[in-house]
Amino acid sequence: MSVLGDVRHLVLVGLPGAGKSTVGQQLAARLGRTFVDCDAELERRRGMTVAELFALCGEPAFRAAEAELSGELAQTAEALVIAPGGGWVANPAAVATLRPAGRIIYLRVSPPTAVQRMGSEVERRPLLAGDDPTASLVQLLSHRGALYMLADLVLDSEALTVDETVDTLEGLIGDLERA
Ligand code: S3P
């Protein structure tokens, strides 16, 4: 429960490679909250990877599943730390479920930094499957940048380590929850 007694899920958004899962896991541990990685949860439920879900069921089915999971999480009585996939912000049905109950934090990094951080994990992202993942991220950011900026908090994490990012967020949580 938050200081106000309301449920205030913390929702980390940003490009693939921004560090949502790593930061989310550590932030949740610091705050004594449960962490939910939406992609991992969908993979667990469907028994297949996100790449397989995209290939076998199509992106619209993935987005529908993402929105359904967001709706479920919004109903959770316990305040969570949630890391949806990078495209969640462009899925209005999903955002609408968590927006009233959650506080959205944008972990902002540039496409080259995101690609560097992903390393070989970039291959797990179906939307970055081409020859030039940086160019793909630039393209995604051109569509999503304004949506990411609607977050309650924008944290420039380009030059921050994971520890520094978690420290900064921990220090800002009180303000964010009262906002
Ligand atoms: C996506 C990002 C991925 C995953 C899916 C689609 C996107 O999550 O949800 O591949 O649209 O940017 P990460 O941001 O965790 O890589």
Side-chain angles (χ1 to χ4, degrees):
M1 296 290 262
S2 78
V3 285
L4 294 181
D6 294 331
V7 172
R8 290 280 186 255
H9 301 312
L10 298 172
V11 185
L12 301 178
V13 302
L15 288 175
K20 302 180 294 291
S21 301
T22 316
V23 167
Q25 209 158 17
Q26 295 194 20
L27 182 64
R30 292 257 193 111
L31 300 174
R33 293 191 183 194
T34 300
F35 172 61
V36 180
D37 182 317
C38 293
D39 284 351
E41 179 58 17
L42 290 174
E43 288 183 336
R44 192 186 65 76
R45 291 184 182 192
R46 299 296 166 109
M48 61 178 100
T49 65
V50 168
E52 287 165 347
L53 252 167
F54 266 67
L56 295 173
C57 311
E59 184 174 350
F62 172 78
R63 298 299 173 198
E66 199 176 38
E68 192 183 322
L69 175 59
S70 301
E72 265 180 52
L73 297 175
Q75 300 302 319
T76 308
E78 176 194 356
L80 305 167
V81 176
I82 301 170
W88 179 83
V89 291
N91 187 355
V95 176
T97 61
L98 276 172
R99 191 68 164 171
R103 291 291 176 266
I104 299 180
I105 299 166
Y106 173 26
L107 298 181
R108 183 160 66 176
V109 296
S110 67
T113 296
V115 169
Q116 193 190 350
R117 288 186 185 175
M118 277 184 280
S120 61
E121 288 288 298
V122 75
E123 286 158 20
R124 294 174 56 86
R125 274 76 173 189
L127 297 182
L128 306 179
D131 289 343
D132 189 347
T134 305
S136 302
L137 279 184
V138 168
Q139 184 72 18
L140 288 177
L141 191 56
S142 74
H143 297 305
R144 296 177 183 168
L147 297 168
Y148 287 140
M149 291 304 287
L150 293 174
D152 299 293
L153 173 72
V154 177
L155 180 62
D156 261 307
S157 46
E158 180 88 10
L160 300 180
T161 63
V162 169
D163 277 352
E164 287 167 342
T165 304
V166 175
D167 285 347
T168 307
L169 289 177
E170 196 179 10
L172 293 170
I173 291 309
D175 290 346
L176 198 56
E177 292 205 314
R178 282 184 288 274

